Every structure is written in structure tokens, then in C-alpha cells.
Amino acid sequence: MFTLNKKMLVLFMVLVLIVAGCSKKEDVKEATPTKENRLIYASEEEFEGLNPILEETNLDALLFRGVMRFDENNKVGTDIADSFDVSEDKLTYTFTLKEGITFHDGKELTAEDVVFTIESIMDDQNASFLKSDFEEVKSTKTLDKYTVEVTLKQPFTPLLDKLTVPILPKHAFEGVDMRTADFNSHPIGAGPYKFDNWDRGNALTLQAYSDFFGTKPSIEKVIFKFIPDSNVRALQLKSGEVDVALLDPVQVENLQKEENLTIYDMESSDYRGILFNMNLDFWKDVNVRRAFSYATDREQIVKGILKGHGSVAYSPLQNHEFHNDQIEKYTYDVEKANALLDEAGWIEKEDGMRYKDGEKLSFTITTPASDTVRTNMANYVAEGFKDIGADVKVAALDWSAITIEDADAFMVGWGSPYDADHHTHILFHTNESSINSTGYNYGNYSNEKVDELLEKGRTTTDPDERKAIYMQFQEELAKDPAFDFIAYENAVYGINKNVSGVKERTLGHHGSGFLWNVEEWKWNDQ
């Protein structure tokens, strides 16, 4: 009996242990966290604010939508607008909006919001960087709740491109100053993602907007993790701490070997060059600017610094349908550079340096330290300029310590895949000098012929005539260069291989536009 009871006791204890074991396994299973449906984007920089008419960020396409939108081929089509008509004289555009579109706070987007957005851009008190895009607008008005009429002073061909600008909710700015509005840090848009949280200095989180009028996002959260150091971005991409990152060219070969990543090597309109500050006397001599352009070995920069992920640059419209490949390209030629400096009166002395009126040919190229590619380019050309007798230093600084207008020369990065007016008028027209406007003409460049052509380019409607105008603009700019154009840089992104839905297109400045259709992206393993 005792023996039987003992056996039953042992059996009972075994059963208890088995049940307990199963229970622990269930507990473990329940405790294992389900993979969160979120995408982490390694952002190169943080933003001051998120008001899209005051500052451009790579969140704009997620938070906001415009009357119009660029498609996969960078062609403009309707978005918030359902349709539009253009008058025969091309002075009046009438847009009919889709009904039932809502902002993230649930309020309906109407014609009043479109009018408010355009008027806010044109309002000097707001100092919008987009003002010159709308300077040909004479008036805007609502014809009814869903119809907007835009009247122009004269035909303005890029208007539809300009109306891709994000639409702001008028009700969010009632009684407040736009530049200090709470909206700027807690935005309300009508895009596929809505603002969730901003941990300054660390990350910003967006949440999928379930009432979005277009394709409903599959990924619930998109987190922008601020990582200024490109090496840290690459390491975190490799380890899986982030899911998407823009790569430096030197990182591509190594990360291509990673099985968990897909590499997108995409053409861009993003060029690098040296901005000449025309406030300095020696840059006012065109022969000096041309000399430094000839003394730049672009082929070696593309090969060595860009590792082949780019091409030599000679024009701001080089990757545009209006490009002109018959202009002066400033192929590397030290002999020509020296001859031009001789002609300009900069004479080489015994120390190998050039002097004029007792002044040494010397200047500093300022570049953002966080941008390894720009810094490497600046160091490379500075060393090469010794061959023409110039003493050139490089100041690699934090963005917070840089005032471009005060630099002798600056390593710029610009370029747009859209209308030829974009990133030309705002960079090279005299009226866009950053000294007296909100434009991006930081070098105070001024050329009457260039101004005239840029004005004609935006007001001419015939495509063939426009092309001829912009080809002439490129020719004039090459004769009287504002920049020493160096290279176009491909946008190379690394992305978790389990993410699908990326649609490639020619990207803009710093790879902007990669996230243009993120609402169509999804995790394949979820």
C-alpha cells in the first residue's frame, strides 16, 4: 500500500511539474513581445520646426498633402484637387477639390484652407522661403466650399508644380502668429501620417492616420531617429536598430554584403559645388572664378570620394530635360587655370603662392562637419588648389556655427528633379539674395542676363521656347559661374530587406523624396 501510494505521489508530482512546465512555456510565449509594426528612419538632422511653408523637411510628404502631387516620374498631377481648368489666356486656374478630405484633427479641408496657405506664403510677416514661388499670383479666392480660383499677373508655367505645397489648416492659426505658433511643433496635416510625439534631440514619431483619403498606410508608426553621424547611421542600419538610412559612398560596398539589407542606388538631381561669395573682391573677377573651376579635378572626386556613385557636374540642370551639354564644362586643366590667374593679375612668387597688390591668394572653404562627403571634397580641392598658387583652408563646422553669407566660399549642395524654375530662380536671381530676401542666393550673385532668362523661363508657356531659354541660362551661368560645380551625388539608401513598396524615382537634394510613397510600404513578415 505504502509502495502504491508512493508511486502515485511520484506520478502526481511529475504531472504537477509537467503542468507547471507547460504553464511556464505559455507564460514565456505570452511574454515574448510581438514585433512592433513600425519603421525607423535614420535622419541626418533634426528640424527647427515642422511648418512646411517655413522650413522644408523630409516629413512633409508624410504629414501633409498639396492641391497637386508629383508622381513616380516626378510629373505633377492632382492630389487634393479632383480636377482643374486653365483659362485660355493662362491667367486663371480653377481647382475643384475632393470632398470629405479631413485634417488629422477631424476637420474638413476646404477651399478656404488652400487660399489661406497661399496667402500665408505671400505674407511678408511670415517670411516664407516659398514666397518667390507665388510672386506671380495676383489673387486667390474661394468660389464655393470646394472650389478655388487663382489669378496670375502673367502666365506662370511652374504654378502647378508650386501647388504641390502642403496645405495648412486655417483654423489652427486663428489669432496666433505663424512663426511662433504651437502648430510648428505640433503640426496638423492631411497626409497619411499624423504627428504623435517629438522627443527633442532624440526622435520624432508619426502615427498612421486611419482616415487618410488616399492609400491607407500599412505601417502603423514611422519614427525619425536623429543621427547626425553617418558612421553611426550605418552601424545602426547594419545591426537593425534602424530600418532605413541614407549612406555615404564609402559605406556602400560593405553594406551591400549584409543579407538583411537592400541597397537602392538612385539617380538624383543633387549636386555639390563651391559657392563663391561675391562680396569678396577677388571673386568679383570672373577669371578668378573660372580659374578655380578649371583647377577642380572632378573625375578624381567622383572616382575617389563618391566611389563611382555619381557623375561630374557642370550645370544645375544637368539631369533635367532642359539640360545643355554644349556649355563650358571646365574640364580639369591647371594650365588654363594658371593663365586665367595671370590675366587677373595674381602673380606667382618664389614661395609658390600668388599675390596681387601685396595680398596673398588665400581663402577658406566652409563646410558642414557632419557631411563627410562635402568635407572630403573640400579638403581634396583645397589641396589641389596649391597647384595654381592658392593657399586654401577648410573650416569644417557644426551647422549651428555656419553663416553661409559670411563664408569666403561654401561647399553647397542643391538640386531639384522638378520644373526647371525650381532651385534656379531662388539660387541665382539677384532678387533672391539672402541679404535682402528669403531666397537662397547666399553668395549675393548678380547677372542681368541670368536674371532676364530666369524671369522669361518662368513666364513662357511654350515648352520649346522654355527649353531654349533654360539652355541659354545654363550657357550664361557657365560663362559667369556662381558656383564651381563639382559632382552629382547618387542617393544610396540602405533599407531592411523585409520592407517592400519602395518606388524609385530621380531624387532631390540629399536624397529627398525617397519617402514620397511610404504609405504604400509594408513589412513582408507581418
Side-chain angles (χ1 to χ4, degrees), residues 98-117:
K98 294 183 176 84
E99 298 182 20
I101 294 176
T102 56
F103 287 109
H104 299 150
D105 60 358
K107 295 187 178 179
E108 189 175 17
L109 189 156
T110 69
E112 285 194 357
D113 299 302
V114 176
V115 171
F116 171 77
T117 300

Side-chain angles (χ1 to χ4, degrees), residues 33-202:
T34 302
K35 184 178 180 183
E36 193 176 4
N37 183 14
R38 53 97 184 101
L39 183 85
I40 301 181
Y41 180 92
S43 182
E44 298 169 78
E45 58 185 349
E46 193 166 5
F47 334 101
E48 289 294 323
L50 295 171
N51 185 329
I53 74 165
L54 302 183
E55 181 179 358
E56 187 176 14
T57 76
N58 52 9
L59 280 74
D60 291 352
L62 286 74
L63 284 167
F64 303 98
R65 282 303 172 97
V67 173
M68 310 296 287
R69 187 185 183 218
F70 294 111
D71 66 12
E72 191 172 355
N73 300 308
N74 288 324
K75 300 297 182 186
V76 69
T78 57
D79 194 19
I80 286 173
D82 189 49
S83 62
F84 67 92
D85 293 312
V86 185
S87 64
E88 195 170 332
D89 60 7
K90 301 187 186 306
L91 291 177
T92 303
Y93 287 66
T94 305
F95 297 90
T96 302
L97 308 185
K98 294 183 176 84
E99 298 182 20
I101 294 176
T102 56
F103 287 109
H104 299 150
D105 60 358
K107 295 187 178 179
E108 189 175 17
L109 189 156
T110 69
E112 285 194 357
D113 299 302
V114 176
V115 171
F116 171 77
T117 300
I118 297 174
E119 290 182 345
S120 296
I121 292 170
M122 298 168 65
D123 187 343
D124 286 335
Q125 289 191 340
N126 295 328
S128 171
F129 71 99
L130 297 170
K131 185 183 177 187
S132 71
D133 288 351
F134 291 88
E135 63 185 12
E136 297 300 337
V137 173
K138 181 179 180 182
S139 65
T140 56
K141 65 179 180 181
T142 60
L143 300 184
D144 59 41
K145 189 175 181 181
Y146 301 108
T147 309
V148 181
E149 182 181 274
V150 179
T151 304
L152 302 175
K153 299 171 187 171
Q154 56 184 330
F156 182 58
T157 304
L159 180 68
L160 296 178
D161 273 44
K162 308 303 184 187
L163 286 173
T164 57
V165 65
I167 299 304
L168 303 177
K170 179 182 178 181
H171 61 270
F173 294 93
E174 289 175 353
V176 299
D177 175 61
M178 178 164 283
R179 294 206 70 87
T180 59
D182 180 66
F183 176 95
N184 302 339
S185 56
H186 298 82
I188 302 166
Y193 285 87
K194 61 182 180 180
F195 177 83
D196 183 30
N197 175 265
W198 190 350
D199 179 10
R200 292 268 183 182
N202 184 30

Side-chain angles (χ1 to χ4, degrees), residues 25 351 472:
K25 285 180 182 177
D351 62 357
Q472 191 178 353

Side-chain angles (χ1 to χ4, degrees), residues 247 249 266 268 270-272 306 309-311 373 487-491:
L247 305 178
M266 302 165 74
S268 84
D270 187 21
Y271 61 81
R272 300 288 176 269
L306 297 185
H309 299 289
S311 57
V373 172
Y488 278 82
E489 184 177 351
N490 288 2

Side-chain angles (χ1 to χ4, degrees), residues 41 56-59 61-62 69-72 74 266 417-418 491 493 502-518 521:
Y41 180 92
E56 187 176 14
T57 76
N58 52 9
L59 280 74
L62 286 74
R69 187 185 183 218
F70 294 111
D71 66 12
E72 191 172 355
N74 288 324
M266 302 165 74
Y418 308 128
Y493 277 92
V502 175
K503 289 182 178 176
E504 297 186 51
R505 66 178 187 179
T506 302
L507 299 179
H509 183 42
H510 275 276
S512 65
F514 186 67
L515 300 173
W516 74 279
N517 73 324
V518 73
W521 294 13

